[in-house]
Structures are given as C-alpha cells and as structure tokens.
Amino acid sequence: MRSAVVVGTGLIGTSLALALSAKGVTVHLRDADPIAAHTAASLGAGSVEPPDAVVDLAVMAVPPALVGTVLADAQAEGVARHYTDVASVKRGPQDDAVAQGCDTVRYIGGHPMAGGERSGPTAARADLFEGRAWVLTPTPDTATETLNTALELVVMCGATPVVMGAAEHDRAVGLVSHAPHLVAALFALRLARAEERAVSLAGPGVRDLTRIAGGDPALWTDILSANAGVVADILDEVAVDLDDAVAGLRALAATDDAKHAEGRRRMDLLLHEGRAGRKRVEGKHGTRPARYRTVGVLVGDQPGQLARLFADADRSGINIEDIHLEHSAAQLTGVVRLSVEQRGAATLEETLRGQGWRVQ
C-alpha cells in the first residue's frame, strides 16, 4: 500500500492516518468539518490536498449510519481501488452499501477494537491499534485482493486481524462493548444523582467501573442505535441476573436463618460466576490484558536461520507471545513476525539488530 484516503478525522480516522503515515503511506484526509481535517494534517496524519490519482485504499471513518452514503459517493468518484470502513457495527452499513448499489466486490467492512474516552483528532495517536483485534467482515463477493489490502492495513497499524460475519460481529461487540458501556452509564447515573458527600468517597473501583461512561454521548447514541436490538437482548439477560442478585441480597438481610443461608448461596454462586467471566478477559498471567507490538524480522531462506533467530531473540530476555511466518517458495527471504508486550519491543529490536538481523 502506497496511498490512501481517510474520510473522517476523528479519533479513529486520525489515529489510523497517523499509523499509515508513519509507515510511509501517502495519506489524503477528508472531513465534513474542514477544521478537523486541518487539525489532523497539522498533527502529521496526512494532507488535506486531494489525490492526483486513484489511491490504493479508501477508509470510511464515519458513523455507522453514514458509511453507505459516503462509500457510494467515494466509489462514484472512483477515488480508490479498494474500500473499507471502521464503524463499530457491521450489519447495517453492509446492508446500506448493498441498498445503495455500491460495488461490494471492492468493499470490506472493518472494526478496530480500540478507542478512548476522548474524541476528535487531538486525542489520536499512531499506536492506538497496536496489539488490538481488528475485525474484518467481507461481503459474500468481496475480492481476495480487497481482503488482502485490508489485511495489509491492519498489519501496518499493528493490530491483529479477525475475520467474522457481519451479524456475528454485531452480536459479539454488543456483549463486549456496547452493553457494558450502557451498564457503566447506568451506574454513573446513580452517581450523578447522589449526594456530594457520598461521591467524595469514590475510589479506584468506581472509577474503573464507570470509566467508559465518559465517552461522547452523541457518538454512543449513534452506536447504540445501530445495534439496539442486540444490546436490548443482552440487557434483558442482565436484568434477569439483577433480579436474582436483588433476591439474594433481600434474603441475606433476612433474620430467618434458612433465608439467610439461601441468600449466601445465591450471592456466592453469582460472585464465583462473575469472577470466572472476568478471568476470560484477563491477560494470561492473571493481569490486565497486555498491549502487544509486532516486530518483523527479515530471514534468509537458508537452513538454521529460524533457530538462530529464536536463539538471538532469547538473548533479549523478552517473552515471545506469538509467531507468524510470511514466506513463499519463490522468494529468497521471508518475514518472521514476533509478537511481544509493547514495553519489551524496543529491547528485542535492539538485541536483534545487534546480532545482525534486519528488523522492520
């Protein structure tokens, strides 16, 4: 990929543009708000000048409801060879693209699982996607070349590609992103209506629980509107669990020994299941999920090269979390991509360069 157009210069669009620009890609920026586009350009994300030729990829970094229209306009203009988006829901934009007669052969949906409480170009950073999942949702007729271009985008941004169907994606993000945001907002609502004396006692636990409730309400209304049915179904299930929790607490408060024992049993079960769910999203060492970075190393097609690479990587003392080999029998070299925790990447790169390896 040598050139790209990014339509929309909010947090995600500008971060994506910064990551591509850092990789030497010529990025052209567009936004309905020219101030946002110029701000992103001033940060080094690209140029607001239009491209003088067809670019390799156009990225629609706009709200879900606008993806179909913006995609149709970009394709009518012939701005790019391939097209993708970064909307947080996929089924609606994909259906809109079909309804508006877009060329779905050269389009693939996308959603980087990254973000932040702050929005706008000034909150952007080039490493926003490093170590994060980036879902790609091909249409039934997406071309292989379009998929490969999207995969190249993901790799350039340091993310990990995950290919899913659009409906499957929307159910998944409803569970791990959209419903949790609304639950956090509902609890934060309790704080907004509480006495100042009570709120002054809030510690790290409450801050962690309500952190995501600080997101842009207008943006999240758009997101929830696009996935409302899925989120409502999940909250129906949460409501059943809440009713069970309330019943358990009422029993715990009872003076009757039998009711009290039943309340303890119900609360113990609930808390144990909650802890089990938490462990599924923790890091493998029982800590918060680590942020990862991929270190690419050029390896010659000679016997023993991989063994030497792994021995030299071991000298760094950095644990290799994952390995991916890119190689073709027709090429004399390949690329080994080593995934490590972000904080150890610089040490690994320095060690490998010191041993004579060409590090990307």
Side-chain angles (χ1 to χ4, degrees), residues 64 147 168 180 190 326 350:
L147 171 60
E168 181 188 8
R190 296 292 94 209
E326 298 177 4
E350 182 180 358

Side-chain angles (χ1 to χ4, degrees), residues 306-330:
L306 287 177
R308 185 169 74 86
L309 171 62
F310 296 146
D312 289 341
D314 189 57
R315 298 172 188 268
S316 70
I318 302 300
N319 188 50
I320 305 299
E321 303 289 342
D322 197 10
I323 301 167
H324 179 68
L325 176 63
E326 298 177 4
H327 181 256
S328 169

Side-chain angles (χ1 to χ4, degrees), residues 5 26 84 110 119 226 262 282 319 325:
V5 167
T26 300
T84 189
S119 59
E262 174 61 15
E282 286 180 344
N319 188 50
L325 176 63

Side-chain angles (χ1 to χ4, degrees), residues 10-135:
L11 169 63
I12 299 298
T14 303
S15 294
L16 186 154
L18 286 168
L20 291 181
S21 294
K23 296 292 185 180
V25 176
T26 300
V27 180
H28 302 271
L29 305 170
R30 296 184 176 185
D31 199 296
D33 179 1
I35 295 178
H38 280 85
T39 300
S42 71
L43 297 172
S47 169
V48 294
E49 297 299 321
D52 55 10
V54 176
V55 301
D56 295 319
L57 179 68
V59 183
M60 315 296 128
V62 297
L66 299 180
V67 169
T69 298
V70 174
L71 174 64
D73 291 344
Q75 288 189 338
E77 184 183 342
V79 68
R81 297 179 180 87
H82 308 283
Y83 300 83
T84 189
D85 72 88
V86 290
S88 60
V89 293
K90 304 278 37 109
R91 183 66 180 270
Q94 190 175 101
D95 289 347
D96 288 345
V98 172
Q100 298 206 34
C102 296
D103 178 3
T104 54
V105 173
R106 297 187 297 137
Y107 163 69
I108 182 170
H111 178 205
M113 298 300 295
E117 295 80 56
R118 296 174 56 219
S119 59
T122 57
R125 63 179 201 268
D127 66 349
L128 182 66
F129 311 107
E130 289 187 2
R132 300 300 185 93
W134 190 311
V135 181

Side-chain angles (χ1 to χ4, degrees), residues 86-291:
V86 290
S88 60
V89 293
K90 304 278 37 109
R91 183 66 180 270
Q94 190 175 101
D95 289 347
D96 288 345
V98 172
Q100 298 206 34
C102 296
D103 178 3
T104 54
V105 173
R106 297 187 297 137
Y107 163 69
I108 182 170
H111 178 205
M113 298 300 295
E117 295 80 56
R118 296 174 56 219
S119 59
T122 57
R125 63 179 201 268
D127 66 349
L128 182 66
F129 311 107
E130 289 187 2
R132 300 300 185 93
W134 190 311
V135 181
L136 297 174
T137 56
T139 68
D141 54 354
T142 295
T144 300
E145 187 179 357
T146 298
L147 171 60
N148 287 339
T149 302
L151 288 170
E152 185 178 1
L153 166 68
V154 174
V155 171
M156 281 187 167
C157 291
T160 301
V162 179
V163 179
M164 304 174 70
E168 181 188 8
H169 163 275
D170 288 357
R171 288 192 297 271
V173 296
L175 176 65
V176 303
S177 177
H178 302 163
H181 188 97
L182 195 51
V183 170
L186 288 170
F187 193 84
L189 178 62
R190 296 292 94 209
L191 299 176
R193 296 174 180 176
E195 294 182 1
E196 183 62 33
R197 189 176 179 84
V199 176
S200 69
L201 301 179
V206 172
R207 286 194 291 271
D208 288 346
L209 178 64
T210 59
R211 177 184 59 82
I212 56 177
D216 180 5
L219 171 63
W220 273 97
T221 298
D222 287 340
I223 292 172
L224 292 169
S225 297
N227 207 22
V230 169
V231 176
D233 289 343
I234 294 169
L235 291 184
D236 274 340
E237 297 172 0
V238 173
V240 172
D241 294 334
L242 280 173
D243 286 342
D244 192 46
V246 170
L249 291 169
R250 297 297 184 200
L252 272 177
T255 56
D256 181 89
D257 289 344
K259 288 185 178 180
H260 186 82
E262 174 61 15
R264 285 193 63 87
R265 185 194 67 79
R266 296 175 74 165
M267 295 308 300
D268 185 68
L269 178 61
L270 184 153
L271 293 171
H272 270 84
E273 290 185 348
R275 186 168 68 173
R278 169 60 182 157
K279 286 182 176 179
R280 295 191 68 182
V281 297
E282 286 180 344
K284 69 176 188 179
H285 301 299
T287 60
R288 290 170 59 187
R291 296 182 63 190

